[in-house]
Amino acid sequence: MNDPQPANPNVWNHLRAGIAQHAPHIQPGPIDDAPTPNEPGHPDYHRARRAEWALARWHTATPPRYRHADATHPDVQAWADRVINDPTTAGNLLLIGTTGTGKTHQAFGALRRIAAAGPAPKTYEIRAITAADMYGLLRPKGSERGAEEELKRLCRVPLLVLDDLGAAKASEWVEDITGRLINNRYNAALPTLYTSNLPAQDPTGGPDLTKALGDRIVSRLSQDTTVIPMTGPDRRRLHAA
């Protein structure tokens, strides 16, 4: 079979002339060849692909218990939306409250909300770690990479969740490590989500973050951190009951 040949341009010219003579009111219609939301080239298509990628990253980084987490607290949602709009100006988020009030659930829900918005890949590298595990990782022989390399990785990851801040026994080493982490992320304008069972300050003289971390760290945190108290009964015990 012979290959198809392009049409003779004289044929098209003849057809155009005939239409112009016998139906002059007929004019060529507009051609809409713009991509639809389901096609490459449309912003919604590419946003959806970025969201798929980010949600897969979120799923991998999230413990199984929190893979159904949603950010339901309005202030947590507002912080996540600020990260979506501009991570460099979003600041940090500190969720404080007693055990079982849903702090960690809201934290992973916030990361999920950010992922679902379809962020750029470079802005959705995430790390979630408890404070106890972080200090263990950064102790001598705590990691094959070495403490300094692990600290650098925590300092530069675009999104970090540090769970249970202030739970470690206060020491000069703990204060130094925490201070370096917070200061480096503050200077790089990288958003961090902290949770803690302790209040920022306890006017009655009880345990608080200021005593656990030191005035210098709490002062730095206060500069760009939104504090959200999480209240209510222990949800884990309610669920068990």
Side-chain angles (χ1 to χ4, degrees), residues 159-175:
L159 276 168
L160 174 68
V161 172
L162 185 57
D163 208 7
D164 217 7
L165 183 66
K169 185 178 180 180
S171 70
E172 185 177 340
W173 181 82
V174 166
E175 184 174 344

Side-chain angles (χ1 to χ4, degrees), residues 72-144:
T72 56
H73 194 293
D75 292 336
V76 176
Q77 293 176 346
W79 177 81
D81 291 343
R82 291 199 299 273
V83 175
I84 292 167
N85 292 329
D86 185 359
T88 64
T89 61
N92 303 318
L93 188 67
L94 171 60
L95 304 177
I96 58 174
T98 55
T99 300
T101 51
K103 301 183 297 296
T104 306
H105 182 96
Q106 291 292 324
F108 281 106
L111 293 183
R112 182 179 188 175
R113 184 180 180 92
I114 296 167
K122 289 184 179 180
T123 66
Y124 201 77
E125 293 292 336
I126 63 175
R127 180 80 180 273
I129 190 170
T130 66
D133 286 340
M134 181 186 75
Y135 296 131
L137 189 69
L138 300 179
R139 292 190 184 279
K141 299 182 180 179
S143 166
E144 293 181 357

